[in-house]
Amino acid sequence: EISECLVGSEMCIRDSGYSAEINLVSSTTLGYGFQIFNTIYNEYISYDNNSGYRLGVESYLRWTHELSMDFAFAFETGIDIDRYFGATNLDYNNEIYFYPYILYSHNFTPRFRVFGELGLPGYKVKENKAKAYNFSESGFYYYGKIGFEYIF
């Protein structure tokens, strides 16, 4: 078992105000390709006639199976819960998802890598509630991502 824990922060300035967020992130490698990721975040929001706090928890379990040196098959299932407090029009957001995908990662040097994800049909259930509306949806979705990483 290998565990990591990180603390991060982010400040965002918008046309109608600002927000500041603090995150506590942990990950644990369980073995046999299983990993668990957890994030607890607290955000102060002051924009779009909202002034208050968002407290959230995100947790997901990933299983990864290597197909070759650069390719792997992965499956994630997770939950993301947000609650809003203070003078805000928002009440809560809930999300549950199941997401299989093909993962590509290639290290060109020890400091530079290229990666990508090609999602197979995933399934998501979302529910958002605010003072003016109550919205929920569920269904299949596709997801893709490409990028690069350089370690300074």
Side-chain angles (χ1 to χ4, degrees), residues 24-58:
L24 177 62
V25 181
S26 72
S27 67
T28 303
T29 301
L30 303 171
Y32 300 102
F34 287 96
Q35 295 174 291
I36 272 190
F37 300 90
N38 298 296
T39 304
I40 298 173
Y41 46 91
N42 186 15
E43 179 182 23
Y44 175 75
I45 53 177
S46 179
Y47 58 87
D48 294 337
N49 297 322
N50 292 302
S51 180
Y53 293 92
R54 175 178 70 130
L55 179 63
V57 175
E58 180 180 8

PDB file of all heavy atoms in Angstrom, residues 24-58:
ATOM      1  N   LEU A  24      -7.687  19.190  -0.006  1.00  0.00           N
ATOM      2  CA  LEU A  24      -6.897  18.145   0.634  1.00  0.00           C
ATOM      3  C   LEU A  24      -7.109  16.895  -0.212  1.00  0.00           C
ATOM      4  O   LEU A  24      -8.244  16.406  -0.320  1.00  0.00           O
ATOM      5  CB  LEU A  24      -7.346  17.920   2.074  1.00  0.00           C
ATOM      6  CG  LEU A  24      -6.633  16.803   2.832  1.00  0.00           C
ATOM      7  CD1 LEU A  24      -5.144  17.102   2.954  1.00  0.00           C
ATOM      8  CD2 LEU A  24      -7.259  16.628   4.198  1.00  0.00           C
ATOM      9  N   VAL A  25      -6.037  16.417  -0.845  1.00  0.00           N
ATOM     10  CA  VAL A  25      -6.130  15.318  -1.802  1.00  0.00           C
ATOM     11  C   VAL A  25      -5.307  14.148  -1.289  1.00  0.00           C
ATOM     12  O   VAL A  25      -4.172  14.329  -0.834  1.00  0.00           O
ATOM     13  CB  VAL A  25      -5.594  15.758  -3.188  1.00  0.00           C
ATOM     14  CG1 VAL A  25      -5.713  14.636  -4.196  1.00  0.00           C
ATOM     15  CG2 VAL A  25      -6.320  16.997  -3.668  1.00  0.00           C
ATOM     16  N   SER A  26      -5.875  12.950  -1.367  1.00  0.00           N
ATOM     17  CA  SER A  26      -5.123  11.757  -0.989  1.00  0.00           C
ATOM     18  C   SER A  26      -5.317  10.683  -2.049  1.00  0.00           C
ATOM     19  O   SER A  26      -6.348  10.631  -2.724  1.00  0.00           O
ATOM     20  CB  SER A  26      -5.568  11.236   0.381  1.00  0.00           C
ATOM     21  OG  SER A  26      -6.847  10.650   0.285  1.00  0.00           O
ATOM     22  N   SER A  27      -4.317   9.843  -2.194  1.00  0.00           N
ATOM     23  CA  SER A  27      -4.432   8.690  -3.079  1.00  0.00           C
ATOM     24  C   SER A  27      -3.748   7.510  -2.412  1.00  0.00           C
ATOM     25  O   SER A  27      -2.745   7.671  -1.716  1.00  0.00           O
ATOM     26  CB  SER A  27      -3.808   8.975  -4.442  1.00  0.00           C
ATOM     27  OG  SER A  27      -2.422   9.133  -4.335  1.00  0.00           O
ATOM     28  N   THR A  28      -4.305   6.339  -2.624  1.00  0.00           N
ATOM     29  CA  THR A  28      -3.768   5.118  -2.045  1.00  0.00           C
ATOM     30  C   THR A  28      -3.747   4.040  -3.112  1.00  0.00           C
ATOM     31  O   THR A  28      -4.759   3.804  -3.772  1.00  0.00           O
ATOM     32  CB  THR A  28      -4.622   4.643  -0.852  1.00  0.00           C
ATOM     33  OG1 THR A  28      -4.688   5.687   0.108  1.00  0.00           O
ATOM     34  CG2 THR A  28      -4.037   3.406  -0.209  1.00  0.00           C
ATOM     35  N   THR A  29      -2.599   3.408  -3.292  1.00  0.00           N
ATOM     36  CA  THR A  29      -2.485   2.269  -4.184  1.00  0.00           C
ATOM     37  C   THR A  29      -2.757   1.020  -3.366  1.00  0.00           C
ATOM     38  O   THR A  29      -2.052   0.736  -2.393  1.00  0.00           O
ATOM     39  CB  THR A  29      -1.078   2.221  -4.817  1.00  0.00           C
ATOM     40  OG1 THR A  29      -0.872   3.435  -5.528  1.00  0.00           O
ATOM     41  CG2 THR A  29      -0.944   1.042  -5.761  1.00  0.00           C
ATOM     42  N   LEU A  30      -3.783   0.274  -3.752  1.00  0.00           N
ATOM     43  CA  LEU A  30      -4.203  -0.891  -2.992  1.00  0.00           C
ATOM     44  C   LEU A  30      -3.549  -2.185  -3.490  1.00  0.00           C
ATOM     45  O   LEU A  30      -3.584  -3.191  -2.810  1.00  0.00           O
ATOM     46  CB  LEU A  30      -5.725  -1.035  -3.063  1.00  0.00           C
ATOM     47  CG  LEU A  30      -6.514   0.174  -2.572  1.00  0.00           C
ATOM     48  CD1 LEU A  30      -7.985   0.014  -2.892  1.00  0.00           C
ATOM     49  CD2 LEU A  30      -6.307   0.370  -1.088  1.00  0.00           C
ATOM     50  N   GLY A  31      -2.984  -2.156  -4.685  1.00  0.00           N
ATOM     51  CA  GLY A  31      -2.392  -3.356  -5.271  1.00  0.00           C
ATOM     52  C   GLY A  31      -3.320  -3.970  -6.306  1.00  0.00           C
ATOM     53  O   GLY A  31      -4.506  -3.644  -6.380  1.00  0.00           O
ATOM     54  N   TYR A  32      -2.774  -4.823  -7.142  1.00  0.00           N
ATOM     55  CA  TYR A  32      -3.521  -5.496  -8.215  1.00  0.00           C
ATOM     56  C   TYR A  32      -4.216  -4.500  -9.138  1.00  0.00           C
ATOM     57  O   TYR A  32      -5.283  -4.764  -9.658  1.00  0.00           O
ATOM     58  CB  TYR A  32      -4.523  -6.502  -7.646  1.00  0.00           C
ATOM     59  CG  TYR A  32      -3.871  -7.583  -6.842  1.00  0.00           C
ATOM     60  CD1 TYR A  32      -3.897  -7.537  -5.462  1.00  0.00           C
ATOM     61  CD2 TYR A  32      -3.190  -8.615  -7.473  1.00  0.00           C
ATOM     62  CE1 TYR A  32      -3.282  -8.531  -4.705  1.00  0.00           C
ATOM     63  CE2 TYR A  32      -2.569  -9.610  -6.730  1.00  0.00           C
ATOM     64  CZ  TYR A  32      -2.612  -9.563  -5.355  1.00  0.00           C
ATOM     65  OH  TYR A  32      -1.991 -10.531  -4.624  1.00  0.00           O
ATOM     66  N   GLY A  33      -3.631  -3.321  -9.323  1.00  0.00           N
ATOM     67  CA  GLY A  33      -4.177  -2.326 -10.229  1.00  0.00           C
ATOM     68  C   GLY A  33      -5.222  -1.412  -9.628  1.00  0.00           C
ATOM     69  O   GLY A  33      -5.759  -0.543 -10.311  1.00  0.00           O
ATOM     70  N   PHE A  34      -5.556  -1.548  -8.354  1.00  0.00           N
ATOM     71  CA  PHE A  34      -6.589  -0.730  -7.709  1.00  0.00           C
ATOM     72  C   PHE A  34      -5.966   0.477  -7.014  1.00  0.00           C
ATOM     73  O   PHE A  34      -4.934   0.363  -6.349  1.00  0.00           O
ATOM     74  CB  PHE A  34      -7.378  -1.542  -6.683  1.00  0.00           C
ATOM     75  CG  PHE A  34      -8.313  -2.528  -7.287  1.00  0.00           C
ATOM     76  CD1 PHE A  34      -7.940  -3.857  -7.452  1.00  0.00           C
ATOM     77  CD2 PHE A  34      -9.576  -2.139  -7.698  1.00  0.00           C
ATOM     78  CE1 PHE A  34      -8.802  -4.767  -8.015  1.00  0.00           C
ATOM     79  CE2 PHE A  34     -10.457  -3.046  -8.264  1.00  0.00           C
ATOM     80  CZ  PHE A  34     -10.065  -4.375  -8.424  1.00  0.00           C
ATOM     81  N   GLN A  35      -6.619   1.634  -7.186  1.00  0.00           N
ATOM     82  CA  GLN A  35      -6.228   2.866  -6.507  1.00  0.00           C
ATOM     83  C   GLN A  35      -7.490   3.567  -6.023  1.00  0.00           C
ATOM     84  O   GLN A  35      -8.526   3.493  -6.684  1.00  0.00           O
ATOM     85  CB  GLN A  35      -5.502   3.816  -7.451  1.00  0.00           C
ATOM     86  CG  GLN A  35      -4.181   3.320  -7.958  1.00  0.00           C
ATOM     87  CD  GLN A  35      -3.627   4.269  -8.998  1.00  0.00           C
ATOM     88  OE1 GLN A  35      -4.173   4.357 -10.083  1.00  0.00           O
ATOM     89  NE2 GLN A  35      -2.563   4.968  -8.664  1.00  0.00           N
ATOM     90  N   ILE A  36      -7.379   4.261  -4.902  1.00  0.00           N
ATOM     91  CA  ILE A  36      -8.483   5.085  -4.384  1.00  0.00           C
ATOM     92  C   ILE A  36      -7.984   6.518  -4.296  1.00  0.00           C
ATOM     93  O   ILE A  36      -6.864   6.768  -3.836  1.00  0.00           O
ATOM     94  CB  ILE A  36      -8.943   4.593  -3.003  1.00  0.00           C
ATOM     95  CG1 ILE A  36      -9.985   3.527  -3.154  1.00  0.00           C
ATOM     96  CG2 ILE A  36      -9.465   5.694  -2.155  1.00  0.00           C
ATOM     97  CD1 ILE A  36     -10.674   3.137  -1.885  1.00  0.00           C
ATOM     98  N   PHE A  37      -8.819   7.471  -4.759  1.00  0.00           N
ATOM     99  CA  PHE A  37      -8.502   8.894  -4.717  1.00  0.00           C
ATOM    100  C   PHE A  37      -9.613   9.601  -3.945  1.00  0.00           C
ATOM    101  O   PHE A  37     -10.792   9.353  -4.187  1.00  0.00           O
ATOM    102  CB  PHE A  37      -8.425   9.470  -6.133  1.00  0.00           C
ATOM    103  CG  PHE A  37      -7.388   8.812  -6.984  1.00  0.00           C
ATOM    104  CD1 PHE A  37      -7.700   7.701  -7.749  1.00  0.00           C
ATOM    105  CD2 PHE A  37      -6.100   9.311  -7.024  1.00  0.00           C
ATOM    106  CE1 PHE A  37      -6.744   7.089  -8.539  1.00  0.00           C
ATOM    107  CE2 PHE A  37      -5.135   8.703  -7.813  1.00  0.00           C
ATOM    108  CZ  PHE A  37      -5.460   7.585  -8.573  1.00  0.00           C
ATOM    109  N   ASN A  38      -9.230  10.484  -3.038  1.00  0.00           N
ATOM    110  CA  ASN A  38     -10.190  11.243  -2.240  1.00  0.00           C
ATOM    111  C   ASN A  38      -9.789  12.714  -2.234  1.00  0.00           C
ATOM    112  O   ASN A  38      -8.611  13.031  -2.105  1.00  0.00           O
ATOM    113  CB  ASN A  38     -10.223  10.739  -0.793  1.00  0.00           C
ATOM    114  CG  ASN A  38     -10.669   9.312  -0.709  1.00  0.00           C
ATOM    115  OD1 ASN A  38     -11.787   8.977  -1.046  1.00  0.00           O
ATOM    116  ND2 ASN A  38      -9.768   8.438  -0.278  1.00  0.00           N
ATOM    117  N   THR A  39     -10.773  13.585  -2.347  1.00  0.00           N
ATOM    118  CA  THR A  39     -10.536  15.020  -2.278  1.00  0.00           C
ATOM    119  C   THR A  39     -11.602  15.649  -1.385  1.00  0.00           C
ATOM    120  O   THR A  39     -12.792  15.374  -1.549  1.00  0.00           O
ATOM    121  CB  THR A  39     -10.619  15.672  -3.679  1.00  0.00           C
ATOM    122  OG1 THR A  39      -9.696  15.030  -4.542  1.00  0.00           O
ATOM    123  CG2 THR A  39     -10.301  17.155  -3.607  1.00  0.00           C
ATOM    124  N   ILE A  40     -11.162  16.461  -0.464  1.00  0.00           N
ATOM    125  CA  ILE A  40     -12.060  17.291   0.342  1.00  0.00           C
ATOM    126  C   ILE A  40     -11.712  18.729  -0.013  1.00  0.00           C
ATOM    127  O   ILE A  40     -10.539  19.112   0.023  1.00  0.00           O
ATOM    128  CB  ILE A  40     -11.858  17.059   1.850  1.00  0.00           C
ATOM    129  CG1 ILE A  40     -12.184  15.610   2.201  1.00  0.00           C
ATOM    130  CG2 ILE A  40     -12.714  18.029   2.663  1.00  0.00           C
ATOM    131  CD1 ILE A  40     -11.851  15.238   3.627  1.00  0.00           C
ATOM    132  N   TYR A  41     -12.712  19.507  -0.402  1.00  0.00           N
ATOM    133  CA  TYR A  41     -12.433  20.884  -0.793  1.00  0.00           C
ATOM    134  C   TYR A  41     -13.414  21.839  -0.148  1.00  0.00           C
ATOM    135  O   TYR A  41     -14.551  21.509   0.140  1.00  0.00           O
ATOM    136  CB  TYR A  41     -12.421  21.055  -2.311  1.00  0.00           C
ATOM    137  CG  TYR A  41     -13.561  20.418  -3.052  1.00  0.00           C
ATOM    138  CD1 TYR A  41     -14.715  21.109  -3.322  1.00  0.00           C
ATOM    139  CD2 TYR A  41     -13.459  19.112  -3.502  1.00  0.00           C
ATOM    140  CE1 TYR A  41     -15.758  20.525  -4.004  1.00  0.00           C
ATOM    141  CE2 TYR A  41     -14.489  18.513  -4.191  1.00  0.00           C
ATOM    142  CZ  TYR A  41     -15.632  19.225  -4.441  1.00  0.00           C
ATOM    143  OH  TYR A  41     -16.673  18.635  -5.115  1.00  0.00           O
ATOM    144  N   ASN A  42     -12.911  23.042   0.120  1.00  0.00           N
ATOM    145  CA  ASN A  42     -13.691  24.117   0.713  1.00  0.00           C
ATOM    146  C   ASN A  42     -13.411  25.358  -0.119  1.00  0.00           C
ATOM    147  O   ASN A  42     -12.260  25.762  -0.264  1.00  0.00           O
ATOM    148  CB  ASN A  42     -13.294  24.329   2.167  1.00  0.00           C
ATOM    149  CG  ASN A  42     -14.175  25.335   2.856  1.00  0.00           C
ATOM    150  OD1 ASN A  42     -15.238  25.691   2.372  1.00  0.00           O
ATOM    151  ND2 ASN A  42     -13.731  25.803   4.003  1.00  0.00           N
ATOM    152  N   GLU A  43     -14.457  25.952  -0.680  1.00  0.00           N
ATOM    153  CA  GLU A  43     -14.293  27.107  -1.552  1.00  0.00           C
ATOM    154  C   GLU A  43     -15.126  28.264  -1.028  1.00  0.00           C
ATOM    155  O   GLU A  43     -16.302  28.102  -0.725  1.00  0.00           O
ATOM    156  CB  GLU A  43     -14.727  26.761  -2.975  1.00  0.00           C
ATOM    157  CG  GLU A  43     -14.613  27.911  -3.939  1.00  0.00           C
ATOM    158  CD  GLU A  43     -15.087  27.560  -5.335  1.00  0.00           C
ATOM    159  OE1 GLU A  43     -15.883  26.612  -5.483  1.00  0.00           O
ATOM    160  OE2 GLU A  43     -14.670  28.241  -6.274  1.00  0.00           O
ATOM    161  N   TYR A  44     -14.505  29.433  -0.930  1.00  0.00           N
ATOM    162  CA  TYR A  44     -15.248  30.648  -0.636  1.00  0.00           C
ATOM    163  C   TYR A  44     -15.639  31.254  -1.974  1.00  0.00           C
ATOM    164  O   TYR A  44     -14.797  31.446  -2.845  1.00  0.00           O
ATOM    165  CB  TYR A  44     -14.411  31.653   0.174  1.00  0.00           C
ATOM    166  CG  TYR A  44     -15.156  32.944   0.363  1.00  0.00           C
ATOM    167  CD1 TYR A  44     -16.199  33.021   1.274  1.00  0.00           C
ATOM    168  CD2 TYR A  44     -14.855  34.065  -0.390  1.00  0.00           C
ATOM    169  CE1 TYR A  44     -16.915  34.200   1.440  1.00  0.00           C
ATOM    170  CE2 TYR A  44     -15.564  35.244  -0.230  1.00  0.00           C
ATOM    171  CZ  TYR A  44     -16.590  35.299   0.683  1.00  0.00           C
ATOM    172  OH  TYR A  44     -17.304  36.457   0.831  1.00  0.00           O
ATOM    173  N   ILE A  45     -16.940  31.536  -2.164  1.00  0.00           N
ATOM    174  CA  ILE A  45     -17.411  32.102  -3.430  1.00  0.00           C
ATOM    175  C   ILE A  45     -18.016  33.477  -3.186  1.00  0.00           C
ATOM    176  O   ILE A  45     -18.735  33.691  -2.210  1.00  0.00           O
ATOM    177  CB  ILE A  45     -18.425  31.178  -4.140  1.00  0.00           C
ATOM    178  CG1 ILE A  45     -19.581  30.795  -3.217  1.00  0.00           C
ATOM    179  CG2 ILE A  45     -17.751  29.926  -4.643  1.00  0.00           C
ATOM    180  CD1 ILE A  45     -20.646  29.946  -3.883  1.00  0.00           C
ATOM    181  N   SER A  46     -17.684  34.394  -4.072  1.00  0.00           N
ATOM    182  CA  SER A  46     -18.240  35.744  -4.017  1.00  0.00           C
ATOM    183  C   SER A  46     -18.353  36.250  -5.454  1.00  0.00           C
ATOM    184  O   SER A  46     -17.515  37.014  -5.923  1.00  0.00           O
ATOM    185  CB  SER A  46     -17.350  36.656  -3.180  1.00  0.00           C
ATOM    186  OG  SER A  46     -17.896  37.962  -3.166  1.00  0.00           O
ATOM    187  N   TYR A  47     -19.371  35.766  -6.171  1.00  0.00           N
ATOM    188  CA  TYR A  47     -19.607  36.170  -7.557  1.00  0.00           C
ATOM    189  C   TYR A  47     -21.048  35.828  -7.940  1.00  0.00           C
ATOM    190  O   TYR A  47     -21.691  35.007  -7.281  1.00  0.00           O
ATOM    191  CB  TYR A  47     -18.621  35.506  -8.528  1.00  0.00           C
ATOM    192  CG  TYR A  47     -18.625  33.998  -8.509  1.00  0.00           C
ATOM    193  CD1 TYR A  47     -19.503  33.273  -9.309  1.00  0.00           C
ATOM    194  CD2 TYR A  47     -17.742  33.288  -7.707  1.00  0.00           C
ATOM    195  CE1 TYR A  47     -19.511  31.895  -9.289  1.00  0.00           C
ATOM    196  CE2 TYR A  47     -17.745  31.916  -7.689  1.00  0.00           C
ATOM    197  CZ  TYR A  47     -18.625  31.221  -8.487  1.00  0.00           C
ATOM    198  OH  TYR A  47     -18.632  29.854  -8.468  1.00  0.00           O
ATOM    199  N   ASP A  48     -21.543  36.463  -8.988  1.00  0.00           N
ATOM    200  CA  ASP A  48     -22.908  36.226  -9.496  1.00  0.00           C
ATOM    201  C   ASP A  48     -23.962  36.273  -8.393  1.00  0.00           C
ATOM    202  O   ASP A  48     -24.813  35.398  -8.276  1.00  0.00           O
ATOM    203  CB  ASP A  48     -22.999  34.882 -10.225  1.00  0.00           C
ATOM    204  CG  ASP A  48     -22.187  34.853 -11.493  1.00  0.00           C
ATOM    205  OD1 ASP A  48     -21.916  35.943 -12.043  1.00  0.00           O
ATOM    206  OD2 ASP A  48     -21.820  33.750 -11.935  1.00  0.00           O
ATOM    207  N   ASN A  49     -23.925  37.281  -7.538  1.00  0.00           N
ATOM    208  CA  ASN A  49     -24.874  37.465  -6.435  1.00  0.00           C
ATOM    209  C   ASN A  49     -24.846  36.327  -5.422  1.00  0.00           C
ATOM    210  O   ASN A  49     -25.820  36.099  -4.720  1.00  0.00           O
ATOM    211  CB  ASN A  49     -26.305  37.652  -6.963  1.00  0.00           C
ATOM    212  CG  ASN A  49     -26.434  38.900  -7.794  1.00  0.00           C
ATOM    213  OD1 ASN A  49     -25.838  39.925  -7.470  1.00  0.00           O
ATOM    214  ND2 ASN A  49     -27.193  38.820  -8.871  1.00  0.00           N
ATOM    215  N   ASN A  50     -23.763  35.607  -5.339  1.00  0.00           N
ATOM    216  CA  ASN A  50     -23.575  34.551  -4.344  1.00  0.00           C
ATOM    217  C   ASN A  50     -22.424  34.941  -3.437  1.00  0.00           C
ATOM    218  O   ASN A  50     -21.390  35.426  -3.895  1.00  0.00           O
ATOM    219  CB  ASN A  50     -23.238  33.214  -5.016  1.00  0.00           C
ATOM    220  CG  ASN A  50     -24.396  32.655  -5.798  1.00  0.00           C
ATOM    221  OD1 ASN A  50     -25.462  32.428  -5.264  1.00  0.00           O
ATOM    222  ND2 ASN A  50     -24.177  32.437  -7.091  1.00  0.00           N
ATOM    223  N   SER A  51     -22.592  34.710  -2.155  1.00  0.00           N
ATOM    224  CA  SER A  51     -21.532  34.942  -1.191  1.00  0.00           C
ATOM    225  C   SER A  51     -21.657  33.868  -0.119  1.00  0.00           C
ATOM    226  O   SER A  51     -22.608  33.870   0.661  1.00  0.00           O
ATOM    227  CB  SER A  51     -21.656  36.334  -0.574  1.00  0.00           C
ATOM    228  OG  SER A  51     -20.621  36.539   0.351  1.00  0.00           O
ATOM    229  N   GLY A  52     -20.734  32.936  -0.117  1.00  0.00           N
ATOM    230  CA  GLY A  52     -20.822  31.845   0.839  1.00  0.00           C
ATOM    231  C   GLY A  52     -19.721  30.838   0.620  1.00  0.00           C
ATOM    232  O   GLY A  52     -18.666  31.154   0.065  1.00  0.00           O
ATOM    233  N   TYR A  53     -19.985  29.611   1.039  1.00  0.00           N
ATOM    234  CA  TYR A  53     -18.992  28.548   0.979  1.00  0.00           C
ATOM    235  C   TYR A  53     -19.555  27.331   0.258  1.00  0.00           C
ATOM    236  O   TYR A  53     -20.736  27.029   0.344  1.00  0.00           O
ATOM    237  CB  TYR A  53     -18.577  28.129   2.390  1.00  0.00           C
ATOM    238  CG  TYR A  53     -17.826  29.191   3.119  1.00  0.00           C
ATOM    239  CD1 TYR A  53     -18.496  30.106   3.922  1.00  0.00           C
ATOM    240  CD2 TYR A  53     -16.454  29.292   2.990  1.00  0.00           C
ATOM    241  CE1 TYR A  53     -17.806  31.102   4.588  1.00  0.00           C
ATOM    242  CE2 TYR A  53     -15.751  30.279   3.647  1.00  0.00           C
ATOM    243  CZ  TYR A  53     -16.434  31.180   4.442  1.00  0.00           C
ATOM    244  OH  TYR A  53     -15.751  32.166   5.095  1.00  0.00           O
ATOM    245  N   ARG A  54     -18.657  26.648  -0.444  1.00  0.00           N
ATOM    246  CA  ARG A  54     -18.984  25.351  -1.031  1.00  0.00           C
ATOM    247  C   ARG A  54     -18.067  24.337  -0.372  1.00  0.00           C
ATOM    248  O   ARG A  54     -16.851  24.482  -0.372  1.00  0.00           O
ATOM    249  CB  ARG A  54     -18.736  25.352  -2.541  1.00  0.00           C
ATOM    250  CG  ARG A  54     -18.943  23.991  -3.172  1.00  0.00           C
ATOM    251  CD  ARG A  54     -18.736  24.039  -4.666  1.00  0.00           C
ATOM    252  NE  ARG A  54     -17.327  24.236  -4.971  1.00  0.00           N
ATOM    253  CZ  ARG A  54     -16.652  23.498  -5.831  1.00  0.00           C
ATOM    254  NH1 ARG A  54     -17.240  22.537  -6.502  1.00  0.00           N
ATOM    255  NH2 ARG A  54     -15.375  23.739  -6.060  1.00  0.00           N
ATOM    256  N   LEU A  55     -18.655  23.327   0.229  1.00  0.00           N
ATOM    257  CA  LEU A  55     -17.901  22.241   0.849  1.00  0.00           C
ATOM    258  C   LEU A  55     -18.175  20.992   0.028  1.00  0.00           C
ATOM    259  O   LEU A  55     -19.337  20.667  -0.255  1.00  0.00           O
ATOM    260  CB  LEU A  55     -18.348  22.040   2.301  1.00  0.00           C
ATOM    261  CG  LEU A  55     -17.656  20.930   3.076  1.00  0.00           C
ATOM    262  CD1 LEU A  55     -16.164  21.213   3.207  1.00  0.00           C
ATOM    263  CD2 LEU A  55     -18.278  20.792   4.452  1.00  0.00           C
ATOM    264  N   GLY A  56     -17.128  20.297  -0.381  1.00  0.00           N
ATOM    265  CA  GLY A  56     -17.323  19.150  -1.243  1.00  0.00           C
ATOM    266  C   GLY A  56     -16.415  17.994  -0.912  1.00  0.00           C
ATOM    267  O   GLY A  56     -15.350  18.149  -0.320  1.00  0.00           O
ATOM    268  N   VAL A  57     -16.873  16.809  -1.322  1.00  0.00           N
ATOM    269  CA  VAL A  57     -16.118  15.576  -1.176  1.00  0.00           C
ATOM    270  C   VAL A  57     -16.207  14.833  -2.494  1.00  0.00           C
ATOM    271  O   VAL A  57     -17.302  14.681  -3.043  1.00  0.00           O
ATOM    272  CB  VAL A  57     -16.686  14.682  -0.044  1.00  0.00           C
ATOM    273  CG1 VAL A  57     -15.962  13.356   0.018  1.00  0.00           C
ATOM    274  CG2 VAL A  57     -16.625  15.393   1.287  1.00  0.00           C
ATOM    275  N   GLU A  58     -15.069  14.422  -3.006  1.00  0.00           N
ATOM    276  CA  GLU A  58     -15.036  13.592  -4.206  1.00  0.00           C
ATOM    277  C   GLU A  58     -14.203  12.359  -3.899  1.00  0.00           C
ATOM    278  O   GLU A  58     -13.130  12.457  -3.320  1.00  0.00           O
ATOM    279  CB  GLU A  58     -14.421  14.342  -5.378  1.00  0.00           C
ATOM    280  CG  GLU A  58     -14.373  13.519  -6.646  1.00  0.00           C
ATOM    281  CD  GLU A  58     -13.769  14.269  -7.819  1.00  0.00           C
ATOM    282  OE1 GLU A  58     -13.238  15.373  -7.638  1.00  0.00           O
ATOM    283  OE2 GLU A  58     -13.831  13.724  -8.928  1.00  0.00           O
TER     284      GLU A  58
END
